[in-house]
Amino acid sequence: MNTQPRLIEVRQNVLKQNDLLARELRVRFQAAGVYVVSLVSSPGTGKTALLEKMLTIFREEWRVAALVGDLATDNDAARLARSQVPVKQITTGTVCHLEATMVERALEGWNLEELDLLFIENVGNLVCPSSYNLGEDLRIVLLSVTEGEDKPLKYPTIFNTADVAVITKIDLAGAVEFDEHAAHANIQAVRPGMEIFQVSAKTGEGMDELKQFFRMRNAECGVRI
Ligand code: MG
Ligand code: ZN
């Protein structure tokens, strides 16, 4: 017997439930005036390092906080706590992506009115996070110079559902012979016109441009960040 249609039906239902909740979250975020940014990438691209840097720099200008998703450990939350902003871990167990319901639960006890900018670090995974809307205003996909310029071609969906690409660990570009031209061309091939930033969380290179981008977003959206 072929059980395929039933499985597809269940999956579509889960996605639909997620979308409904994500829409509710989005309404809540907008009402509270908090701009929400999610980070997606494969494991090891430096999401947490970039996030720590952003939290540390951005807290001078905005009221920032972060939710950080991981399969098992709360190491990332402990690390991010050094930035001295509110941070909460979402441990997903066996689930390899964040869902809107996990975000909703993690936000319990937080007053969103007291925030300007909320970051959500997804579980390191380039596949299913693309299907789960978390109510975010902006999705950033990270690509590190150490992982190969063809990642966008291999995982076009995640690049397609993201709004901005950030190339990380740019301080290592020379050592790994990173082909910047190819990386940009591949990103543009799957998502024409996508804005691309190049940063190093280690040296701080590119962080000013990223901060300036958030300032401009603020002006465009009329969101209070
Ligand atoms: Mg992490
Ligand atoms: Zn998953």
Side-chain angles (χ1 to χ4, degrees), residues 70-101:
D70 245 317
L71 291 169
T73 71
D74 61 0
N75 296 349
D76 283 359
R79 180 171 169 192
L80 291 172
R82 296 191 305 210
S83 60
Q84 298 182 349
V85 307
V87 174
K88 210 181 271 183
Q89 180 83 41
I90 303 174
T91 306
T92 59
T94 56
V95 182
C96 53
H97 57 267
L98 289 181
E99 296 181 10
T101 180

Side-chain angles (χ1 to χ4, degrees), residues 21 25 28-29 36 65-70 77 86-92 97-112 115 118-123 134:
L21 184 54
L25 281 174
R28 264 180 72 192
F29 294 149
V36 181
L67 302 178
V68 46
D70 245 317
V87 174
K88 210 181 271 183
Q89 180 83 41
I90 303 174
T91 306
T92 59
H97 57 267
L98 289 181
E99 296 181 10
T101 180
M102 301 174 189
V103 171
E104 185 190 40
R105 218 174 310 131
L107 289 173
E108 277 171 20
W110 275 10
N111 183 359
L112 293 176
L115 295 177
L118 171 68
F119 288 97
I120 304 174
E121 179 186 333
N122 214 314
V123 178
L134 303 176

Side-chain angles (χ1 to χ4, degrees), residues 48-67:
T48 311
L50 176 63
L51 190 50
E52 184 179 4
K53 194 78 179 170
M54 288 197 291
L55 294 177
T56 305
I57 296 175
F58 293 1
R59 69 189 280 259
E60 294 163 7
E61 197 158 330
W62 301 298
R63 297 172 300 175
V64 292
L67 302 178

Side-chain angles (χ1 to χ4, degrees), residues 143 145 149 167 170 173 177-187 196 198 205:
L143 172 72
V145 300
E149 298 83 0
I167 298 174
I170 202 73
E177 296 181 2
F178 175 67
D179 186 341
E180 181 180 321
H181 179 77
H184 283 241
N186 291 340
I187 291 169
I196 304 171
Q198 301 200 145
E205 184 181 342

Side-chain angles (χ1 to χ4, degrees), residues 160-219:
N160 248 305
T161 64
D163 304 291
V164 171
V166 174
I167 298 174
T168 58
K169 305 186 188 181
I170 202 73
D171 53 299
L172 299 176
V176 298
E177 296 181 2
F178 175 67
D179 186 341
E180 181 180 321
H181 179 77
H184 283 241
N186 291 340
I187 291 169
Q188 297 300 333
V190 296
R191 184 82 151 94
M194 188 179 226
E195 194 158 358
I196 304 171
F197 293 89
Q198 301 200 145
V199 304
S200 165
K202 194 174 172 188
T203 66
E205 184 181 342
M207 294 306 298
D208 285 345
E209 287 81 356
L210 208 49
K211 192 172 186 184
Q212 185 55 29
F213 168 78
F214 279 98
R215 284 204 196 99
M216 279 167 51
R217 274 279 145 150
N218 173 27

